[in-house]
Amino acid sequence: MNKELIEALNILEKEKDIRKEVMLEAIENSLITAYKQNFDKAENVRVSVDRETGDIGVFAIKEVVEQVEDMRTQISLADAAKYKKLPEIGEEVEVEIKSKDFGRIAAQRAKSVILQTIREEERRVIYDQFYAKERDIVTGIVQRINGKNISINLGKADAVLTANEQVPGEEFQPTQRIKLYIVEVKDTTKGPKIVVSRTHPELVKRLFEAEVAEVKDGTVEIKAISREAGSRTKIAVWSNNPNVDPVGACVGVNGARVNTVVDELRGEKIDIINWSDNPAILIENALSPAKVISVMADDEAKTAEVVVPDYQLSLAIGKEGQNARLAARLTGFKIDIKSESQAQLYYGEEYEEHYEEYNDEYDEYADEYYEEGEESYDEYDSYDEEN
């Protein structure tokens, strides 16, 4: 029986990651509880379980006395001689207690302690597993639709995709597989509570990490993301290797890589732009696909004035201001966009002088910035126009 106990604990540890040592300690504690219940809550008890053989020993620690007044804690010199060679008055001896003497009720309570420990260990294992995946993506299976919420099975645990974390317009059916971003994992008395999302901007980042090897290994960094879930996302990328084009790596041949991410996001449009430490260049890139005449950025105030051709104004602002709004979030700048005609009216005769000096410096920097990557951007431009 004891050998079977150790084998059972080994199986639990291997298959369910329930720690063998924790279970052995629980067994020891349960036997102590059983002893106390059966012997009027006596505190003088020690329990040991052999970690190799599974042999269990329950011992009452008793003081050797001349005259026994309390049989629970004391033992006569003659009886002590049965357990220890040449005992002396005042010494302590351990007297083995047979488990069959515990009683049915006490044994039942001991069983409850063991079962409770198993449940707690199972919750710990699940919590540790998903806590390690916090701020990462997982694949879940839709179980059922509960009003506006969706119950998702994640394997060993369930999660609820709330209405606030759902992308407007997305619909799911039971048994359908979907990818989710784990926002937070909370440890509760009822088990881990896993907060998942389909709207979080980091979902896009993790999808690119899974699809683009250069992003996963750190060659290409995603510096910033701004997203309006279900509609459009802008991401700014940077390469740590001068021989690797960050935009081209994320787009892939004929847009294969980015299209895989787009498909997972149910057709959400994705603009991939180059990151730059120069705010003006970054803002120009962020307003893509609109063409920009000039940008004047105040790095301290985090504001920028942008001038675009008249025919590009609506494209730069975007439908309901979306393009400008996403660009502002991506760059961290408050962007004021004017058409060329509006700028001339605003600045009057000083318009040319206002921008001429800045444009020379800006154009020189831009030419140098794009010179090496001209060919690689042609491929992205063609993809951008198609999408």
Side-chain angles (χ1 to χ4, degrees):
M1 179 65 184
N2 293 341
K3 185 178 179 181
E4 291 176 356
L5 170 65
I6 296 299
E7 289 177 353
L9 294 180
N10 287 333
I11 292 172
L12 278 174
E13 188 170 49
K14 183 178 180 181
E15 295 184 355
K16 293 192 174 184
D17 199 24
I18 295 176
R19 295 169 293 183
K20 178 181 175 181
E21 183 61 30
V22 171
M23 291 306 305
L24 288 171
E25 290 177 1
I27 291 171
E28 291 173 347
N29 291 333
S30 69
L31 291 173
I32 290 174
T33 301
Y35 178 87
K36 290 179 179 179
Q37 292 291 336
N38 204 59
F39 293 93
D40 196 22
K41 298 185 179 180
E43 300 294 336
N44 59 322
V45 63
R46 183 182 72 84
V47 176
S48 68
V49 180
D50 191 291
R51 270 44 177 172
E52 299 298 327
T53 65
D55 291 337
I56 300 173
V58 182
F59 304 92
I61 303 171
K62 297 186 179 184
E63 182 184 1
V64 180
V65 295
E66 291 183 356
Q67 185 175 354
V68 177
E69 296 180 356
D70 186 348
M71 294 184 62
R72 295 174 304 172
T73 60
Q74 296 175 338
I75 188 170
S76 68
L77 191 62
D79 289 338
K82 299 176 184 177
Y83 304 100
K84 186 176 182 179
K85 189 176 181 180
L86 301 176
E88 295 181 3
I89 300 297
E91 285 187 333
E92 290 184 340
V93 296
E94 291 185 343
V95 179
E96 187 173 3
I97 306 297
K98 301 300 182 182
S99 59
K100 65 180 181 180
D101 297 333
F102 288 175
R104 182 179 60 82
I105 296 176
Q108 185 66 31
R109 291 179 179 176
K111 179 182 176 182
S112 299
V113 172
I114 295 173
L115 293 176
Q116 177 64 23
T117 302
I118 292 176
R119 286 192 291 268
E120 290 174 356
E121 276 292 287
E122 287 178 334
R123 287 199 294 265
R124 178 198 63 81
V125 169
I126 295 172
Y127 173 80
D128 290 346
Q129 176 185 342
F130 285 97
Y131 183 76
K133 295 180 180 179
E134 195 174 65
R135 300 181 181 178
D136 203 350
I137 57 173
V138 292
T139 300
I141 301 175
V142 177
Q143 285 188 310
R144 56 187 177 275
I145 314 297
N146 302 319
K148 294 183 178 181
N149 297 331
I150 302 174
S151 179
I152 308 291
N153 178 261
L154 300 177
K156 292 184 178 180
D158 292 336
V160 175
L161 183 62
T162 62
N164 292 336
E165 299 295 341
Q166 296 175 32
V167 175
E170 279 192 343
E171 295 182 358
F172 301 104
Q173 300 299 325
T175 72
Q176 186 174 350
R177 291 181 175 271
I178 60 173
K179 292 190 182 298
L180 302 152
Y181 179 76
I182 297 182
V183 179
E184 186 181 12
V185 180
K186 301 177 181 178
D187 193 13
T188 70
T189 55
K190 296 182 179 180
K193 180 181 179 181
I194 304 168
V195 181
V196 295
S197 174
R198 285 278 296 176
T199 62
H200 203 286
E202 288 291 310
L203 173 65
V204 181
K205 181 178 181 179
R206 296 303 184 188
L207 289 173
F208 271 102
E209 286 179 353
E211 188 63 30
V212 183
E214 292 85 350
V215 175
K216 187 174 183 179
D217 65 22
T219 303
V220 173
E221 292 183 46
I222 297 178
K223 290 283 193 177
I225 300 178
S226 61
R227 184 185 184 201
E228 292 191 357
S231 181
R232 182 178 291 272
T233 292
K234 287 181 181 285
I235 67 172
V237 294
W238 171 265
S239 176
N240 292 309
N241 186 339
N243 297 319
V244 176
D245 168 29
V247 175
C250 292
V251 171
V253 179
N254 297 323
R257 288 175 167 179
V258 70
N259 283 336
T260 300
V261 177
V262 169
D263 290 343
E264 178 59 42
L265 298 176
R266 307 296 182 88
E268 184 174 314
K269 296 183 183 299
I270 300 177
D271 296 335
I272 306 172
I273 69 159
N274 275 284
W275 171 268
S276 173
D277 292 328
N278 184 299
I281 296 294
L282 179 60
I283 291 168
E284 180 192 5
N285 293 344
L287 287 170
S288 173
K291 307 301 179 184
V292 174
I293 294 176
S294 60
V295 181
M296 290 193 68
D298 186 335
D299 201 11
E300 291 185 2
K302 293 296 180 181
T303 59
E305 296 178 3
V306 178
V307 176
V308 300
D310 291 354
Y311 68 93
Q312 291 278 296
L313 181 61
S314 60
L315 184 61
I317 295 174
K319 184 179 180 181
E320 298 179 353
Q322 184 186 69
N323 194 57
R325 189 166 56 250
L326 287 173
R329 291 178 190 167
L330 189 74
T331 61
F333 279 72
K334 182 179 180 181
I335 302 174
D336 182 18
I337 303 175
K338 290 182 173 64
S339 68
E340 192 170 14
S341 299
Q342 290 172 335
Q344 287 174 338
L345 289 173
Y346 183 80
Y347 293 110
E349 295 178 357
E350 297 180 357
Y351 171 73
E352 295 294 338
E353 181 180 348
H354 185 79
Y355 281 102
E356 185 174 359
E357 181 179 352
Y358 172 75
N359 284 344
D360 289 342
E361 179 183 347
Y362 171 75
D363 291 341
E364 181 181 349
Y365 183 92
D367 290 343
E368 180 182 349
Y369 182 79
Y370 287 111
E371 184 176 357
E372 296 181 358
E374 185 174 353
E375 293 182 4
S376 63
Y377 294 118
D378 289 342
E379 181 181 351
Y380 175 68
D381 286 340
S382 62
Y383 165 81
D384 193 43
E385 290 175 2
E386 293 174 2
N387 292 272

